[in-house]
Amino acid sequence: MTVTTLVSYDDAVAQFDPVLGLEVHVELNTVSKMFCGCSTEFGAEPNTQVCPVCLGLPGALPVANESAVEAAIRIGLALNCSIAEWCRFARKNYFYPDMPKNFQTSQYDEPIAFDGWTEVELDGETYRIEIERAHMEEDTGKSLHVGGATGRIHGAERSLLDYNRAGVPLIEIVTKPIEGTGAKAPEVARAYVTHLRELMAALGVSDVRMEQGSLRCDANVSLRPDAQSEYGLRTETKNVNSLRSVERALRYEICRQATVLADGGRVTQETRHWHEDTGVTTPGRSKEEAEDYRYFPEPDLVPIAPSREWVDELRATLPEPPAVRRARLQEAWGFSDLEMRDAAGAGALPLIEATVEAGAAPQAARKWWSGELARRAHADGVELAELSITPAEVAQIQAMIDAGRLNDKLARQVIDGVLADEGSPDEVVTARGLEVVSDDAALGAAVDQAIADNPDVADKIRSGKVAAAGALIGVVMKQMRGQADAARVRELILERLGQ
Amino acid sequence: MPPEISRADVARLASLARIELTDEELDHLAPQLAVILESVAKVSEVADADVPPTSHAVPLSNVYRADELRPGLTPEEALAGAPEVEDQRFAVPRILGEEA
Amino acid sequence: MNELITRSAAELAELLAAGEVSSVEVTQAHLDRIAAVDGAVHAFLQVDAEGALRTAADVDARRAAGETLAPLAGIPIAVKDVLATKGIPTTCGSKILEGWVPPYDATVVKRLKEAGLPILGKTNMDEFAMGSSTEHSAYGPTRNPWDLDRIPGGSGGGSAAAVAGYLAPLAIGTDTGGSIRQPSAVTGTIGVKPTYGGVSRYGLIALASSLDQAGPVTRTILDAALLHETIAGHDPCDSTSIDAPVPPVLEAVRNADLSGLRVGVVTELRGEGYQPGIEARFDDALKLLTSAGAEIVEVSCPHFVYGLATYYLILPSEASSNLAKFDAMRYGLRVLPDGISEPTAEQVMAATREAGFGPEVKRRIILGTYALSSGYWDAYYGSAQKVRTLIRRDFDAAYEKVDVLVSPTAPTTAFPIGAKVDDPLAMYLNDIATIPASLAGMPGLSLPSGLADEDGLPAGIQVLAPAMADDRLYRVAAALESMLLEQWGGPLLSQAPELEVAR
């Protein structure tokens, strides 16, 4: 494959108008699976959470999980959807070893929720995203590809199947085409997925951990010359496993498609695969003909007809909409608009909330999460929530600063230690000996030493030039390897020198 | 209009249904299926647009189970019939998959 | 022949209750019979002598200890090999499941066990219940005890032959378009398809999910009612099972009064294509019904003529999806393709399904795949679902005028093995009278109406009732049965030739 130089992103969005489509799968946090009583717990030994139903054994039959249906309705309501008065499950028929029945029980032309919308904020602008549908389906098992070089499917000798995940409830949320985002398309997509994640977390229906697969995104994009033209041919990109990937993958796809089009070519309508390591998408296996899923209503399940009373009951359980919540928090915390936007954009709001609940002041919590920790997350290429430090720990560190046991610089070192899994903040402080020295005798000794070593500076201070103390403070701090309370050092210096 | 179903059609359907039909079978099936299809095609004559379809013989709806755990199979039971097992998982030949 | 094996289940229950015979004796008598004649009949694919005797001994002990037992406790039963039995191989008559041992019991099987019925074994069937003659079993056909060169009907020929040949007093069959009723008709036994949803389908390996039902195969109506009440009832593991009391079938047998009953004869379910001897016995039965106080009314169900076409679209469509799970990955047969050194999973699937499925199954899978595929969906599957509604409406209209409907169960008596196996359409016609009730989800019962004059082989009469009115079937059948028994001077089966016992 020859390496083509891609059109730059700026050129791409100057020449073309991107139209997006996002399909997000939310794995529900119900106790049991969609159609049987097996556990949905993550991380169990393989094939220990299976039964005849989710294994697709001959003769087994599904029974719908009431909580999953409830969650589907609440998700639909939170997205301002209409809830179907009557709908059915359908079989999506295709063969794949991770799907025990070789059909997926899903919903086809009768989704439980449809025609909704939601609003996403980005850089001070509000984008209204139309929701086509939200429907219920079951997850597949997991395959481990072995024998090949990369552990991926390509070149593998065989695959090992674990069906623990088969049958876990999924809600698929599909947007209508998203227009009018222009150059911000990738960011809007990322903001939308972030927003969905917040919504699901607020509803309490999912762990929404992209790194664990409880929130998955397929990103569709097409380009057209301008907003008045017909939609172009689109590609669907899979394996988009983080918020960052959503943005990066779309950016890449837009550049790639623009390059093809600018060259006079046609975009191939296909499924593509995102590679986080190389930052490109590659085409999926080309199939001789499109897969025909032969959908028909699932005869083993009966229609779902949620009463309007039930829907109203569930509507009353919805948490406050994110915009309302954000306004409330902003007021409570006293953040500026910019501070609030940055915090939200970094995905830090739930973390700040938890940190405040653990006792820290809001501004302090914000400073850490939107600032230092956001920087670290970005540098490591992970989500804020994925960092190995909890809101409680952040609150503990802040408390130590407030108590004078740490200063900012030392606090950063403690964070290093916690992130490196060296232990709790207290353990790291002890192990690394990071505590601020507040023992006056020790400080005094260092101060005396500094004065003795810098007689000119000392004279200046004696003569009234108090500002010169700064230089001596620096010496002491260096001597103390930063583990001193600078303010106290200053006091001691001035005391010694008669100020 | 009698539906036409060619040998190629049957081959395509066999591929969709993951059955490796022999040449002999492909030869026989197309005419057999055409005859059957001809006789069943008459359903479209009488199926008016305003007749609602029946997908369930009995008019039940809203049948649920509570979101509770129920005992399932042990891994040994689950894997007992497996043609091949490795690391407590079902071992299957290499999957062509969706990546090129 | 041990005379115990000719008794009905109700008679055996009396003997057991009176302590005149033990369950072990009864069970052993049937196991002996199986050993003696099943080489020729081939009703069974699997015999579980050990398990059956163990259950029998357990029931005997509990009875001796004074425990209250279910009505049929201790009476052995055969189960069609389409129902999952934990620890006992379950093949559905197919090579693709050869040797598969389910890790769980079907709900019907669980209920039999809870009621204390020793399970003799699993009976032969057309592969995956697709057929009307049991010739499509991958393990060889079952033979009709009336004439071993003839078919016992299908798909449940094994269960019917077992009961007809005294290898078991009771059997469980399954009926999708007639697979209990038609074998009963051609073997001189009684077979019932309950209202759809009346008996749990959990563990019933699916053919057509919206049509399948398990039901009793017996030699008397009373036995059928007893067995019906043992297995029927709501099952939370089956979303399509009906959450309502089982219709009072036993009561109906005991109060079989036909005065004032309106009986409808379906115009479209007789005449051309029906063997004259079968129609003659049918007409005789109508006269008996009249003599018992019933009123015979002719009713027309015009859409029944589309029944076969509708059925042979819906069934293959659902079956093509239900049978997709047999792919060599998790259980069952695995066949590697010839001449490919490192086959892919897809290739192994295709080679296995080619080797493991018989011609009728492959035919219907391809047909079903076609009927569901885009571009054809509306014309085929979609249309069939609509015609199903029209057929149900015909029934509803008929039941405004009558209480039950009757027809000959099958158009012909037992035909010779091999006569129709190469002509799929001719084979499909065997179900022409049984299919409409299946499509509408309504219950049906077949009982022997006599022997056809031209060949001396059993003919059956079918009784149909509205959904959830299974008791009406039993009421009519019980009355008719007692009149016929009087006419024959004893059970029809006693006129069957004695089976040769293997040496």
Side-chain angles (χ1 to χ4, degrees):
Chain A
M1 191 191 79
T2 53
V3 177
T4 353
T5 319
L6 292 185
V7 163
S8 78
Y9 183 76
D10 290 337
D11 284 345
V13 293
Q15 291 178 55
F16 299 103
D17 176 48
V19 176
L20 301 174
L22 294 159
E23 288 161 26
V24 173
H25 285 85
V26 178
E27 208 177 69
L28 297 180
N29 62 2
T30 51
V31 168
S32 60
K33 293 186 179 180
M34 185 75 225
F35 299 116
C36 67
C38 289
S39 170
T40 56
E41 283 285 323
F42 184 81
E45 287 296 299
N47 293 305
T48 53
Q49 290 171 188
V50 294
C51 75
V53 178
C54 55
L55 257 188
L57 290 187
L61 293 175
V63 184
N65 182 332
E66 186 162 24
S67 292
V69 177
E70 193 181 285
I73 294 172
R74 292 177 72 231
I75 288 172
L77 290 172
L79 292 170
N80 302 294
C81 291
S82 303
I83 304 298
E85 304 225 355
W86 186 92
C87 67
R88 290 175 292 190
F89 287 97
R91 291 192 186 178
K92 180 178 183 183
N93 296 285
Y94 65 99
F95 286 79
Y96 206 79
D98 69 3
M99 243 184 11
K101 298 171 292 192
N102 285 318
F103 63 82
Q104 183 192 36
T105 303
S106 176
Q107 293 192 291
Y108 178 49
D109 51 357
E110 298 166 351
I112 189 162
F114 53 92
D115 287 347
W117 55 270
T118 193
E119 281 175 348
V120 171
E121 275 164 37
L122 178 69
D123 296 341
E125 270 188 70
T126 303
Y127 294 86
R128 182 173 157 120
I129 314 266
E130 304 288 329
I131 306 291
E132 171 83 39
R133 54 189 279 149
H135 72 254
M136 301 176 281
E137 58 184 41
E138 52 179 350
D139 209 345
T140 63
K142 271 211 212 137
S143 32
L144 248 185
H145 308 297
V146 297
T150 61
R152 286 239 294 274
I153 214 172
H154 202 56
E157 270 172 26
R158 62 197 182 285
S159 297
L160 304 180
L161 275 309
D162 168 20
Y163 293 104
N164 283 351
R165 196 184 66 181
V168 170
L170 288 178
I171 304 297
E172 181 174 342
I173 302 168
V174 183
T175 66
K176 295 196 181 165
I178 304 171
E179 306 178 45
T181 54
K184 296 213 171 159
E187 293 159 274
V188 173
R190 178 185 180 151
Y192 167 72
V193 180
T194 309
H195 169 68
L196 271 192
R197 201 177 67 168
E198 245 184 69
L199 259 182
M200 299 303 124
L203 285 169
V205 294
S206 170
D207 299 330
V208 282
R209 302 186 60 173
M210 285 185 87
E211 75 281 6
Q212 272 187 7
S214 48
L215 184 75
R216 298 168 221 165
C217 178
D218 294 336
N220 298 270
V221 65
S222 66
L223 297 179
R224 55 185 179 179
D226 52 56
Q228 284 69 44
S229 304
E230 261 179 28
Y231 293 151
L233 289 170
R234 65 176 162 82
T235 60
E236 179 181 351
T237 302
K238 292 185 170 302
N239 198 42
V240 177
N241 294 334
S242 68
L243 293 174
R244 239 169 71 112
S245 304
V246 172
E247 198 179 321
R248 291 183 70 209
L250 281 170
R251 260 184 109 83
Y252 176 82
E253 254 312 278
I254 288 171
C255 291
R256 190 193 68 80
Q257 288 190 19
T259 310
V260 169
L261 293 172
D263 234 17
R266 290 184 78 217
V267 169
T268 313
Q269 180 141 317
E270 63 185 344
T271 301
R272 296 181 72 88
H273 196 92
W274 168 248
H275 300 265
E276 184 66 36
D277 44 2
T278 48
V280 303
T281 63
T282 55
R285 181 168 70 100
S286 81
K287 299 169 191 178
E288 273 133 41
E289 65 263 328
E291 188 77 67
D292 180 354
Y293 295 120
R294 289 157 281 136
Y295 285 99
F296 67 98
E298 169 62 83
D300 288 332
L301 290 166
V302 299
I304 309 270
S307 72
R308 301 299 92 181
E309 289 75 38
W310 191 31
V311 174
D312 288 338
E313 261 175 52
L314 292 176
R315 199 192 311 270
T317 71
L318 294 182
E320 58 183 341
V324 172
R325 173 170 162 269
R326 232 175 273 184
R328 178 177 59 78
L329 288 175
Q330 186 174 346
E331 215 198 293
W333 294 340
F335 289 179
S336 70
D337 286 349
L338 184 58
E339 286 171 340
M340 200 63 195
R341 230 170 48 209
D342 284 345
L349 289 185
L351 297 158
I352 294 172
E353 231 188 328
T355 308
V356 168
E357 232 162 278
Q363 275 296 351
R366 186 196 65 77
K367 189 191 74 177
W368 288 116
W369 286 108
S370 287
E372 179 67 20
L373 292 170
R375 269 195 293 281
R376 306 256 186 156
H378 187 83
D380 293 347
V382 299
E383 301 299 330
L384 250 189
E386 282 174 83
L387 291 176
S388 310
I389 188 167
T390 67
E393 286 166 339
V394 170
Q396 282 166 36
I397 293 172
Q398 184 59 41
M400 286 193 239
I401 296 173
D402 293 339
R405 288 177 60 200
L406 293 175
N407 55 32
D408 245 34
K409 205 154 151 209
L410 293 171
R412 272 164 232 275
Q413 290 182 57
V414 176
I415 286 176
D416 280 343
V418 173
L419 286 177
D421 291 322
E422 285 169 28
S424 72
D426 267 317
E427 287 165 350
V428 172
V429 165
T430 310
R432 289 197 186 194
L434 292 175
E435 190 121 5
V436 162
V437 175
S438 28
D439 172 18
D440 271 4
L443 281 182
V447 164
D448 290 336
Q449 185 68 45
I451 292 171
D453 290 343
N454 299 277
D456 305 326
V457 181
D459 285 336
K460 274 199 194 132
I461 296 168
R462 280 196 195 93
S463 69
K465 291 208 175 117
V466 169
L472 282 184
I473 296 170
V475 171
V476 173
M477 291 302 282
K478 200 160 157 205
Q479 167 72 8
M480 301 297 299
R481 282 177 298 126
Q483 282 173 248
D485 178 8
R488 185 69 191 134
V489 169
R490 186 174 185 278
E491 275 172 20
L492 289 172
I493 292 172
L494 294 178
E495 251 175 56
R496 295 284 201 273
L497 298 172
Q499 301 294 333
Chain B
M1 184 209 72
E4 282 172 19
I5 180 160
S6 68
R7 197 178 187 280
D9 287 332
V10 177
R12 183 180 51 85
L13 292 168
S15 163
L16 257 184
R18 297 291 185 275
I19 303 178
E20 185 72 42
L21 292 176
T22 63
D23 283 330
E24 237 184 275
E25 284 173 319
L26 284 171
D27 288 335
H28 282 144
L29 265 174
Q32 263 178 4
L33 288 173
V35 168
I36 296 172
L37 280 172
E38 195 175 332
S39 78
V40 300
K42 60 171 128 170
V43 293
S44 59
E45 292 162 23
V46 81
D48 273 330
D50 55 351
V51 176
T54 298
S55 63
H56 292 86
V58 169
L60 296 173
S61 64
N62 294 332
V63 174
Y64 301 123
R65 35 170 285 275
D67 185 24
E68 287 164 356
L69 291 181
R70 303 201 66 210
L73 297 171
T74 63
E76 293 71 40
E77 287 174 321
L79 295 160
E84 217 185 302
V85 176
E86 197 180 309
D87 287 343
Q88 203 164 280
R89 291 175 170 86
F90 295 84
V92 306
R94 61 198 184 92
I95 306 169
L96 271 182
E98 279 152 21
E99 256 190 85
Chain C
M1 179 164 82
N2 185 339
E3 141 329 302
L4 260 183
I5 63 175
T6 62
R7 305 292 205 118
S8 73
E11 287 169 341
L12 289 171
E14 270 175 31
L15 294 175
L16 286 167
E20 283 180 42
V21 80
S22 71
S23 172
V24 168
E25 272 178 79
V26 174
T27 304
Q28 189 60 57
H30 287 93
L31 289 168
D32 292 341
R33 175 67 169 172
I34 292 169
V37 304
D38 203 39
V41 175
H42 193 227
F44 284 87
L45 291 177
Q46 199 74 227
V47 176
D48 181 23
E50 211 183 289
L53 288 169
R54 207 181 318 125
T55 305
D58 179 61
V59 171
D60 285 336
R62 284 158 60 202
R63 197 187 299 273
E67 241 183 79
T68 319
L69 298 168
L72 293 174
I75 303 191
I77 189 167
V79 175
K80 184 175 180 183
D81 205 19
V82 75
L83 287 148
T85 41
K86 186 171 177 177
I88 302 178
T90 300
T91 69
C92 298
S94 177
K95 279 281 187 252
I96 216 168
L97 276 182
E98 186 166 22
W100 179 60
V101 180
Y104 77 104
D105 275 327
T107 297
V108 166
V109 172
K110 255 214 275 178
R111 289 184 182 180
L112 292 175
K113 288 183 175 178
E114 278 163 10
L117 283 83
I119 296 175
L120 292 166
K122 310 300 289 299
T123 56
N124 199 11
M125 51 184 285
D126 281 300
E127 189 180 357
F128 285 111
M130 298 188 202
S132 323
S133 67
T134 310
E135 292 172 286
H136 289 299
S137 166
Y139 300 98
T142 297
R143 292 161 183 281
N144 193 323
W146 286 80
D147 178 341
L148 294 175
D149 290 325
R150 291 179 183 265
I151 55 97
S155 62
S159 283
V163 168
Y166 306 109
L167 289 77
L170 302 167
I172 299 290
T174 66
D175 190 307
T176 304
S179 292
I180 287 178
R181 290 165 286 162
Q182 182 257 7
S184 282
V186 304
T187 55
T189 55
I190 284 145
V192 185
K193 185 197 85 68
T195 298
Y196 179 85
V199 177
S200 169
R201 286 186 306 114
Y202 187 78
L204 197 184
I205 296 164
L207 164 59
S209 314
S210 72
L211 302 170
D212 295 341
Q213 268 297 275
V217 179
T218 64
R219 294 193 291 266
T220 71
I221 296 295
L222 178 56
D223 284 356
L226 288 165
L227 189 49
H228 192 131
E229 290 204 349
T230 305
I231 60 173
H234 181 241
D235 181 13
C237 291
D238 175 3
S239 301
T240 59
S241 89
I242 297 171
D243 193 358
V246 178
V249 297
L250 202 51
E251 204 187 296
V253 172
R254 299 196 164 127
N255 297 313
D257 176 15
L258 298 188
S259 38
L261 189 80
R262 298 165 303 162
V263 175
V265 174
V266 183
T267 316
E268 288 77 10
L269 295 183
R270 61 177 312 174
E272 199 190 312
Y274 288 80
Q275 196 173 316
I278 289 183
E279 288 219 284
R281 295 292 83 83
F282 178 67
D283 287 329
D284 292 342
L286 291 179
K287 293 198 190 93
L288 285 176
L289 289 173
T290 308
S291 74
E295 185 195 329
I296 310 293
V297 178
E298 178 112 2
V299 290
S300 170
C301 297
H303 295 96
F304 281 17
V305 300
Y306 297 99
L308 211 63
T310 305
Y311 179 77
Y312 280 103
L313 277 171
I314 291 173
L315 183 149
S317 301
E318 293 186 7
S320 68
S321 176
N322 284 327
L323 266 57
K325 57 174 60 71
F326 301 104
D327 66 357
M329 301 291 113
R330 289 161 293 284
Y331 45 80
L333 188 69
R334 181 182 279 187
V335 167
L336 300 179
D338 280 329
I340 303 179
S341 57
E342 274 172 36
T344 63
E346 290 84 354
Q347 287 170 324
V348 172
M349 284 185 194
T352 302
R353 289 160 68 78
E354 160 62 21
F357 287 143
E360 183 61 34
V361 170
K362 284 186 232 181
R363 197 164 18 242
R364 296 201 197 184
I365 290 177
I366 300 294
L367 187 52
T369 307
Y370 183 80
L372 288 174
S373 49
S374 69
Y376 301 106
W377 203 98
D378 287 329
Y380 292 114
Y381 186 76
S383 295
Q385 293 290 47
K386 290 183 175 187
V387 180
R388 204 172 168 173
T389 303
L390 295 174
I391 290 172
R392 207 194 64 239
R393 285 181 183 173
D394 279 358
F395 272 113
D396 291 341
Y399 288 128
E400 298 274 306
K401 297 187 273 191
V402 299
D403 304 303
V404 294
L405 294 169
V406 291
S407 79
T409 308
T412 69
T413 54
F415 45 88
I417 289 174
K420 300 190 189 181
V421 77
D422 292 323
D423 187 350
L425 269 182
M427 191 67 87
Y428 297 164
L429 283 169
N430 288 305
D431 294 329
I432 199 162
T434 45
I435 275 173
S438 299
L439 289 170
M442 296 181 180
L445 179 156
S446 176
L447 73 152
S449 55
L451 300 177
D453 291 327
E454 55 270 60
D455 51 30
L457 291 167
I461 175 172
Q462 176 179 230
V463 188
L464 302 173
M468 289 308 285
D470 304 44
D471 49 302
R472 280 187 218 177
L473 303 174
Y474 285 88
R475 185 169 141 211
V476 173
L480 193 51
E481 179 190 48
S482 77
M483 290 188 282
L484 286 168
L485 277 177
E486 209 184 302
Q487 218 172 62
W488 299 329
L492 187 69
L493 275 170
S494 54
Q495 294 182 46
E498 274 229 22
L499 284 171
E500 214 177 281
V501 165
R503 308 246 156 265

